[in-house]
Amino acid sequence: MGFNEILVCDQCDLLLDEIPLEPGGKAACSRCGNILYRNKPNGLRLSLMFSLTGAALFLVSNYFPIVTIDSNGLSNSTTLLDAPYRLVHDGIPSIAALVFATTFLMPALEILALIYLLFPLSLGRLPPGFSYAFRLVHFVKPWSMIEVFMLGLLVTITKLNAFASVVPDIALGSFVFLMFTVTAAAANFDPHSFWKQIEIVKASQGKI
Ligand SMILES: [Zn+2]
């Protein structure tokens, strides 16, 4: 296994020799101090665990109502996907598309791509088309904004409470946990460890 690979600092373009690290250690660029890579022994396993938990929470968050609004004896339950649906209904499809993409589509793709990459890898297999799925994770990350949506939701609930009784439902709780699990899954997905693991699996299959 080539430990003397050369890498490039993505901040200042300095060429550096890769050195092996102690578990928990990190390598910084000697010129600009940018963190180049870390040795997180359980990072990928943790990322997979958080992604699987995130997938379950995602289903709960979208299936069950997020709030129930009681007004003048009328009770109305709303799910997360009702938000873009209402926006289309109100004649603003562009905002509806943005809400749908940032709170449903992109987080779903991020979770699925992470599971797609990490599950086979945890069993010592190569996920087919892993370079595409890896790029997908990086593409969707800036577009996945469930924490922004969550903030807007909490503000709306607080404001609505002046006019009607707004009761938080099961999906609101799971959505809060989803926010943390998705962040934890992404934070533990270390690209350097990922590619190392790909090399190890390739080597064990005799592909290099
Ligand atoms: Zn540098």
Side-chain angles (χ1 to χ4, degrees):
M1 277 174 8
F3 264 125
N4 278 324
E5 282 173 35
I6 291 174
L7 39 97
V8 184
C9 172
D10 58 8
Q11 296 294 315
C12 74
D13 287 345
L14 183 67
L15 288 176
L16 296 139
D17 275 329
E18 185 182 332
I19 47 159
L21 294 176
E22 296 288 313
K26 57 188 175 187
C29 171
S30 59
R31 183 154 70 182
C32 74
N34 172 42
I35 302 294
L36 300 162
Y37 57 96
R38 295 164 196 274
N39 184 350
K40 287 195 274 189
N42 287 317
L44 295 181
R45 205 170 306 151
L46 277 173
S47 183
L48 175 61
M49 229 177 61
F50 282 120
S51 302
L52 290 170
T53 314
L57 288 169
F58 187 85
L59 293 177
V60 173
S61 302
N62 283 289
Y63 182 77
F64 291 100
I66 194 141
V67 283
T68 301
I69 301 167
D70 278 313
S71 172
N72 300 324
L74 284 172
S75 177
N76 195 351
S77 288
T78 308
T79 64
L80 275 172
L81 281 175
D82 284 336
Y85 177 77
R86 289 287 326 165
L87 288 165
V88 169
H89 200 73
D90 292 345
I92 23 181
S94 51
I95 304 289
L98 204 62
V99 170
F100 178 75
T102 54
T103 64
F104 186 88
L105 188 63
M106 296 303 178
L109 283 176
E110 188 178 1
I111 295 168
L112 287 177
L114 282 174
I115 294 174
Y116 180 82
L117 288 173
L118 295 175
F119 188 66
L121 214 51
S122 72
L123 303 172
R125 296 201 192 110
L126 286 178
F130 53 84
S131 60
Y132 295 104
F134 179 83
R135 266 179 277 165
L136 184 69
V137 172
H138 278 264
F139 173 74
V140 297
K141 215 197 262 176
W143 291 101
S144 168
M145 299 181 201
I146 48 177
E147 57 278 6
V148 178
F149 185 73
M150 188 73 216
L151 197 67
L153 200 68
L154 290 177
V155 171
T156 313
I157 290 173
T158 317
K159 287 202 166 180
L160 264 179
N161 247 328
F163 309 101
S165 137
V166 183
V167 185
D169 240 312
I170 182 164
L172 187 68
S174 74
F175 201 65
V176 172
F177 284 116
L178 176 65
M179 208 170 67
F180 288 112
T181 43
V182 171
T183 309
N188 281 293
F189 182 72
D190 174 38
H192 191 263
S193 315
F194 170 77
W195 290 113
K196 268 253 125 55
Q197 198 59 37
I198 291 274
E199 296 298 312
I200 291 169
V201 174
K202 269 188 182 171
S204 73
Q205 293 180 348
K207 287 189 180 164
I208 19 179

